[in-house]
């Protein structure tokens, strides 16, 4: 990957520093395509950052039929709602592949609590190979928001959560322990507005005020793919 400097490590997090957002998307896409080729079980993030990575990943690997794709979190809106992460997936990855993965969506037609319970049950026995995570400006990841009760949950794989920022709709999110069970946790963050949360997530001591700082793969690898702007405050 041109521009990607050799990874450095911060507190057990492998920092992959790239020049810009496009390189970050390309790096994440390459990792996702490789996982799909290997028939992996993958949790994908919502938000705007991964959109380009999903488009590129579909172009790198047209056959995702061996893979299982889950959502690290979902907004409790109808699947065709523009705020739905399911719609993001449909418009990017699923629109670009020739053979689709098995996609496991959150049943948002149910109430948030019922949807979370159903997703939690569906996740029983599921082992994540890759969890692709975003980083919010407030340091959240998935829909695990600063100081939220969801950060304390240990006996569930997915729970309902109140939104900690827009869109102000109820959420269903995978829990910290379940995301941490992934063999490879991969953060993807770009842009100057992620420099401060990235420092809090990857340099400062872990804190419930920065949920991303609490998420590390328990038994595997944790990587942060950052462009120079997002990495600007790591030193
Ligand atoms: C979501 C995501 C969320 C996202 C961050 C960053 O459902 O919105 O899972 O955790 O990754 O909010 O969002 P951006 O990529 O849009 O900055």
């Amino acid at each position: 990957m041109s521009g990607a400097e050799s990874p450095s490590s911060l507190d057990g997090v492998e920092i992959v520093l790239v020049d810009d957002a496009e390189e970050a998307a390309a790096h994440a896409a390459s990792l996702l395509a490789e996982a799909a080729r290997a028939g992996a079980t993958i949790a994908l993030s919502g938000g705007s950052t991964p959109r380009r990575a999903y488009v590129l990943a579909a172009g790198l690997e047209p056959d995702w039929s061996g893979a299982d794709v889950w959502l690290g979190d979902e907004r409790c809106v109808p699947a065709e709602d523009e705020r739905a992460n399911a719609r993001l997936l449909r418009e990017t990855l699923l629109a670009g592949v020739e053979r689709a993965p098995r996609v496991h969506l959150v049943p948002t037609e149910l109430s948030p609590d019922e949807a979370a319970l159903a997703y939690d049950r569906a996740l029983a026995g599921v082992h994540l190979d890759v969890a692709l995570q975003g980083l919010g400006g407030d340091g959240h990841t998935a829909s695990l928001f600063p100081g939220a009760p969801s950060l304390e949950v240990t006996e569930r794989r997915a729970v309902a959560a109140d939104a900690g920022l827009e869109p102000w709709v109820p959420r269903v999110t995978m829990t910290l322990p379940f995301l941490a069970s992934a063999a490879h946790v991969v953060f993807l963050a770009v842009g100057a507005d992620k420099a401060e949360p990235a420092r809090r997530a990857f340099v400062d001591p872990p804190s419930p005020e920065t949920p991303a700082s609490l998420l590390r793969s328990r038994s595997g690898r944790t990587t942060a793919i950052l462009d120079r702007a997002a990495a600007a405050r790591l030193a």
Side-chain angles (χ1 to χ4, degrees):
M1 186 71 53
S2 71
E5 296 188 9
S6 56
S8 61
S9 176
L10 268 178
D11 171 33
V13 178
E14 174 196 31
I15 305 292
V16 175
L17 179 59
V18 294
D19 285 337
D20 54 30
E22 182 65 13
E23 286 241 15
H27 198 94
S30 167
L31 189 152
L32 292 174
E34 184 183 345
R37 219 168 280 133
T41 298
I42 305 166
L44 292 179
S45 166
S48 57
T49 304
R51 180 174 280 271
R52 178 69 175 148
Y54 298 160
V55 171
L56 293 175
L60 288 175
E61 179 47 67
D63 181 359
W64 281 56
S65 57
D68 284 87
V69 167
W70 297 80
L71 284 173
D73 68 323
E74 181 57 288
R75 293 83 177 274
C76 294
V77 294
E80 68 284 353
D81 186 300
E82 64 180 11
R83 297 165 296 179
N85 290 335
R87 177 166 167 175
L88 166 67
L89 213 50
R90 218 175 19 254
E91 292 174 345
T92 55
L93 181 68
L94 302 182
V97 295
E98 289 170 15
R99 300 185 67 195
R102 285 172 297 280
V103 180
H104 308 269
L105 299 179
V106 177
T108 54
E109 66 281 5
L110 303 175
S111 75
D113 285 335
E114 290 164 339
L117 195 54
Y119 216 49
D120 178 67
R121 286 174 176 156
L123 284 165
V126 171
H127 299 287
L128 293 180
D129 296 299
V130 178
L132 181 76
Q133 300 300 125
L135 177 64
D138 59 356
H140 81 264
T141 191
S143 283
L144 298 161
F145 293 101
S150 57
L151 300 181
E152 309 288 328
V153 174
T154 55
E155 77 289 349
R156 290 276 295 266
R157 292 165 287 266
V159 288
D162 294 331
L165 84 181
E166 73 284 349
W168 298 100
V169 294
R171 313 288 186 91
V172 169
T173 186
M174 287 182 182
T175 58
L176 278 173
F178 186 70
L179 287 167
S181 72
H184 194 184
V185 172
V186 183
F187 288 94
L188 174 64
V190 299
D193 63 333
K194 299 299 171 74
E196 170 61 19
R199 187 182 54 70
R200 296 193 348 244
F202 306 123
V203 176
D204 289 356
S207 162
E209 288 315 304
T210 306
S213 71
L214 304 176
L215 176 54
R216 301 289 185 264
S217 172
R218 240 193 331 273
S219 60
R221 293 166 60 196
T222 303
T223 301
I225 303 170
L226 305 173
D227 71 351
R228 290 192 184 289
R233 301 197 57 183
L234 292 190

